[in-house]
Amino acid sequence: MTVDLSILFGLGALGCGAGMTWLAARTASLKGQLREAARNAEAFRQSNVQLEQLRSEHAQDRETLERARSEDRQKIEWLDAQQREIEWLRRELDARPKITQKRYKILTLGIKGTGKTSLTLKWANPLVDLGKLQGTKIERYERTVSNVSTKEELTEHIFEIGDWGGEHLVEAQHELVVEEVHGLLLVVDLASKDGRQVDPARVEEQIREFQPQSLRYFFGSKTLTACKAVVLFINKSDVLSGTPAEIELEAHRHYRPLIDGIERLKNHVSTRVLVGSASYGHSTHHLFSHFVERILPKHAYDGQLLQRIKQEVLAPTAISQTARLSAQQVGPHAQK
């Protein structure tokens, strides 16, 4: 009996030990599975985080793509609008007449300080400040005189004025030889720059400058063929007193030798003598009208030019009287 209990006790102890061993192994296995499950759960969580980041980046990429597509559509619309505008402009240009230019050259000559530039700019560039003029070798001015249009063509008629400095008369003569000149303006004056009365020595100097022997070089065969008008402008008439007719006679008397020399050309070219003042506007309106009348063909006149000439013909008397009165009150004005 005692032996059976020992056996039973031993068997029980043996079975209990085996169970504990199994239980311990099972516990270890479960712990391993739990750790694996935890790792899998963490990996799954991180995957979810990455997935959300990818979804966010994908949404941003789609938004960027939509913006780019919208900008592309806008650019295409802009390009289409520009192309339509270009095509419209081309149609407008094709419908407009062709623009051409007809130029007429006028040469201005005279010794230094006679007022050539002031006189020229009175009608070539009326907006210029005459008080700031400086002596130069040569200046060229352009003035559109008229615009004549047809269905096929618009012609701009332009006066091109060459203003030669007084000390460069020899070079100006060269231009007369090689260029086609349509008008010639000779400018002389009655007094020096700051003079208040006629300066006989200065007048004599200018008569010598344009003596008949010199005029032969100015009026060669080429000049006489192309030139349509020669004007002698006796400047600074404000140093003389009297009525306009008396002033004109007095100025002619001082420059009679030069006037006689120029009038010998009447059989070859239109000549005219004007007496006036570039500073005060005496007779300057006649100068432009005369060159237009003699140089510009009648078919080149437009409505604006005709209106301007009409105004200059009707308005001069009152202007000249006012200017002459101002000259007598303030004295001669310094001229270039």
Side-chain angles (χ1 to χ4, degrees), residues 128-194:
V128 74
D129 185 354
L130 298 180
K132 297 181 178 179
L133 296 180
Q134 299 292 329
T136 56
K137 175 181 178 181
I138 182 172
E139 291 285 353
R140 296 193 185 276
Y141 313 102
E142 292 184 0
R143 180 70 181 269
T144 299
V145 181
S146 65
N147 293 287
V148 179
S149 61
T150 63
K151 290 182 178 180
E152 295 80 18
E153 188 176 49
L154 170 64
T155 303
E156 296 179 347
H157 295 272
I158 299 173
F159 277 1
E160 181 182 312
I161 302 98
D163 176 17
W164 279 91
E167 65 274 29
H168 300 282
L169 288 179
V170 174
E171 296 170 72
Q173 290 176 8
H174 176 73
E175 181 168 352
L176 279 169
V177 172
V178 300
E179 299 286 343
E180 186 177 76
V181 176
H182 301 89
L184 191 61
L185 173 60
L186 304 180
V187 183
V188 295
D189 62 5
L190 293 163
S192 58
K193 183 175 182 181
D194 301 320

Side-chain angles (χ1 to χ4, degrees), residues 126-315:
L127 298 179
V128 74
D129 185 354
L130 298 180
K132 297 181 178 179
L133 296 180
Q134 299 292 329
T136 56
K137 175 181 178 181
I138 182 172
E139 291 285 353
R140 296 193 185 276
Y141 313 102
E142 292 184 0
R143 180 70 181 269
T144 299
V145 181
S146 65
N147 293 287
V148 179
S149 61
T150 63
K151 290 182 178 180
E152 295 80 18
E153 188 176 49
L154 170 64
T155 303
E156 296 179 347
H157 295 272
I158 299 173
F159 277 1
E160 181 182 312
I161 302 98
D163 176 17
W164 279 91
E167 65 274 29
H168 300 282
L169 288 179
V170 174
E171 296 170 72
Q173 290 176 8
H174 176 73
E175 181 168 352
L176 279 169
V177 172
V178 300
E179 299 286 343
E180 186 177 76
V181 176
H182 301 89
L184 191 61
L185 173 60
L186 304 180
V187 183
V188 295
D189 62 5
L190 293 163
S192 58
K193 183 175 182 181
D194 301 320
R196 295 178 178 272
Q197 58 186 3
V198 175
D199 184 346
R202 182 170 175 81
V203 171
E204 184 62 30
E205 177 189 2
Q206 294 173 87
I207 291 176
R208 286 197 305 272
E209 192 70 43
F210 292 112
Q211 60 183 312
Q213 291 85 349
S214 299
L215 289 177
R216 286 187 306 171
Y217 294 101
F218 284 111
F219 298 99
S221 58
K222 184 179 179 65
T223 302
L224 293 176
T225 300
C227 190
K228 304 297 182 183
V230 176
V231 176
L232 172 65
F233 193 95
I234 304 175
N235 197 18
K236 304 179 186 177
S237 63
D238 44 90
V239 301
L240 299 176
S241 59
T243 66
E246 291 171 343
I247 291 174
E248 183 170 336
L249 286 174
E250 180 68 10
H252 279 224
R253 184 181 67 81
H254 285 290
Y255 277 101
R256 177 51 55 189
L258 177 55
I259 294 174
D260 291 342
I262 291 176
E263 287 184 342
R264 294 191 185 99
L265 302 169
K266 278 187 173 181
N267 294 332
H268 306 282
V269 63
S270 171
T271 62
R272 186 173 183 182
V273 179
L274 292 174
V275 177
S277 171
S279 295
Y280 295 103
H282 305 175
S283 300
T284 56
H285 52 282
H286 292 310
L287 185 59
F288 175 74
S289 300
H290 181 72
F291 277 129
V292 169
E293 180 184 353
R294 296 299 178 182
I295 296 176
L296 201 65
K298 297 301 180 183
H299 67 266
Y301 285 49
D302 63 6
Q304 186 175 2
L305 176 62
L306 290 172
Q307 182 65 24
R308 178 180 177 184
I309 292 176
K310 182 179 179 181
Q311 291 173 349
E312 289 177 343
V313 169
L314 294 177

Side-chain angles (χ1 to χ4, degrees), residues 14 23 30 39 62 67 91 175 178 197 255 287 295:
L14 183 59
L23 184 59
L30 290 174
R39 286 195 296 271
R62 289 189 61 182
R67 283 201 303 268
R91 290 193 298 271
E175 181 168 352
V178 300
Q197 58 186 3
Y255 277 101
L287 185 59
I295 296 176

